[in-house]
Amino acid sequence: MYIDLTLSIDIQDPIIAKASTDPDSYMSRGHIGTHLDVYGGQAFPPAHYCMRRGLLIDARDAGDEIGLTVLAGREFQAGDFLIFHTGHLARHVYGSRPYYQNQPKFSWDLVRHLAERDTGFIGLDFPGMRPGPEHNTADRIVGSRGGYVIENLANVDRLHAQAGDRTFLVCTGWTGFQGSTGLSCRVVAHLD
């Protein structure tokens, strides 16, 4: 079974117009829909990152700040693709003011722990590990250890219902736009 985790955006969506008309916005630099962030000269993910072992982390009851407790009892390995299910995208329309203003955030302890464990990909069903100016800082911490953050994943609730605590395969593809800090992604989970 395949579950597409890529957020579908209609070409008529106002967020597309903003990305097209404002050359200084994050969106015009690739931070739109399902994408991965690359900051500070971080290279594109190596080709072997396109296939990763995936694990879903249930963070729906973690509160406003997601801490290390969401990892309790979950075993993961360096290089894994951890997908955090908060339900945020299911509750808020992508691109809306509440989607950005009411987003969950990771504690700094969780950000550092995931980086230190050499997590391959951190997948989010919300806009970023930390809001505002802390967003880039958190991504850089993960990136300094060779990890990448993929934001705005869709259908995470469906993946959770099908996979539960089991591991699965995640296939990821990304664009190769040189100089962009956000690379559009296609992310698909494959469950046996």
Side-chain angles (χ1 to χ4, degrees), residues 130-144:
R130 299 285 299 185
E134 296 176 342
H135 182 121
N136 296 3
T137 304
D139 285 355
R140 286 174 192 263
I141 290 169
V142 171
S144 72

Side-chain angles (χ1 to χ4, degrees), residues 139-159:
D139 285 355
R140 286 174 192 263
I141 290 169
V142 171
S144 72
R145 296 290 297 251
Y148 299 87
V149 180
I150 298 185
E151 300 161 352
N152 308 313
L153 292 175
N155 302 317
V156 176
D157 50 349
R158 182 171 169 225
L159 175 64

Side-chain angles (χ1 to χ4, degrees), residues 3-9 32-35 81 83 89 124 150-156 170-174 183-189:
I3 299 175
D4 193 344
L5 303 175
T6 311
L7 179 64
S8 177
I9 304 172
I32 191 165
T34 303
H35 69 278
F81 192 136
I83 297 175
L89 183 58
L124 310 174
I150 298 185
E151 300 161 352
N152 308 313
L153 292 175
N155 302 317
V156 176
V170 185
C171 307
T172 306
W174 48 87
L183 305 177
S184 292
C185 291
R186 177 85 186 260
V187 182
V188 178

